[in-house]
Amino acid sequence: MDQGDAAVWAAALGIAGTLAGALGGAIVQGRLIRRQVQDQEAVDVRHRLREERQAAFVAVLDRCSEAEATFSPIIVARVQPGWDDDADHRELWAPTNAALEALRRAVTAVAITGPDSMADLASAIHEAVQAKTNAMRLPAADFAQRVRMFGEHSTVLEQAQRNFIRQARAVLAAPVR
């Protein structure tokens, strides 16, 4: 082998080594970029889920407040001397019924976005609001009994809301899996 052949072989091996190094580097870089994109996508999904959960949690509390705001006209009507339990009061109850339905939908949103512990706590709020409503809706022995039941359910609702808020803070602060 003469020097010319050796130079050609050396150049060919150098080019092959450079190409192999470039190709290997490109493969490694491609894998690295793919991994970065996957990691960023996972972060984006977790962030979006956290935002959806936060919106769902706030909606439950907002719909609960809206439902409670509908009780005042009912209470005022029930204390009137001419109140008749057997009369048709659908119009009076329409805002409360609509608010309870909106609360039910908000609870469903929490069940969808999760976690299950929050869905259970949201359901407890809905049940407490429903019980509070029923204290005024269902016939009772007397108004004093109705007021006592309403107060008891109000206490249960306040505790359910405190539990919901405490757990919501924990869920929203924790990394989403």
Side-chain angles (χ1 to χ4, degrees), residues 1 3-4 27 39 46 52 59 71 75 107 109 131 135 147 154 157 161 171-172:
M1 183 181 307
Q3 285 183 331
I27 290 172
D39 289 348
R46 287 191 303 266
E52 289 174 5
F71 295 152
I75 293 169
V107 168
V147 169
S154 293
L157 176 58
Q161 288 172 317
V171 166
L172 294 173

Side-chain angles (χ1 to χ4, degrees), residues 1 9 23 28 35 40 48 52 56 62 69 73 75 77-78 114 118 130-131 142 144 161 170 173:
M1 183 181 307
W9 278 105
L23 182 60
V28 169
R35 177 63 184 185
Q40 185 59 46
R48 192 169 40 252
E52 289 174 5
D62 287 348
I75 293 169
R78 290 195 73 95
M118 289 306 297
Q130 186 69 55
D142 60 16
Q161 288 172 317

Side-chain angles (χ1 to χ4, degrees), residues 99-120:
L100 285 170
E101 178 59 23
L103 177 57
R104 186 195 60 73
R105 286 190 309 271
V107 168
T108 300
V110 171
I112 290 168
T113 60
D116 290 343
S117 62
M118 289 306 297
D120 294 342

Side-chain angles (χ1 to χ4, degrees), residues 6-22:
V8 170
W9 278 105
L13 288 174
I15 291 172
T18 301
L19 289 176

Side-chain angles (χ1 to χ4, degrees), residues 41-172:
E41 184 178 322
V43 166
D44 291 345
V45 166
R46 287 191 303 266
H47 181 70
R48 192 169 40 252
L49 179 58
R50 182 173 285 122
E51 287 176 345
E52 289 174 5
R53 284 178 170 173
Q54 182 176 7
F57 298 167
V58 168
V60 166
L61 296 172
D62 287 348
R63 299 305 81 77
C64 179
S65 294
E66 290 168 6
E68 286 192 288
T70 67
F71 295 152
S72 293
I74 295 166
I75 293 169
V76 168
R78 290 195 73 95
V79 297
Q80 299 303 315
W83 176 263
D84 179 10
D85 273 335
D86 296 326
D88 182 10
H89 300 289
R90 279 183 278 198
E91 188 174 310
L92 179 64
W93 285 101
T96 301
N97 294 337
L100 285 170
E101 178 59 23
L103 177 57
R104 186 195 60 73
R105 286 190 309 271
V107 168
T108 300
V110 171
I112 290 168
T113 60
D116 290 343
S117 62
M118 289 306 297
D120 294 342
L121 292 171
S123 291
I125 287 175
H126 183 263
E127 290 168 10
V129 172
Q130 186 69 55
K132 195 172 173 180
T133 302
N134 289 342
M136 285 294 136
R137 188 185 310 250
L138 301 176
D142 60 16
F143 191 73
Q145 180 184 7
R146 192 181 307 278
V147 169
R148 181 186 53 75
M149 289 171 36
F150 190 82
E152 289 171 359
H153 295 304
S154 293
T155 301
V156 170
L157 176 58
E158 289 169 9
Q159 184 59 47
Q161 288 172 317
R162 280 193 296 272
N163 292 342
F164 184 83
I165 291 168
R166 183 173 50 315
Q167 186 65 27
R169 286 181 182 150
V171 166
L172 294 173

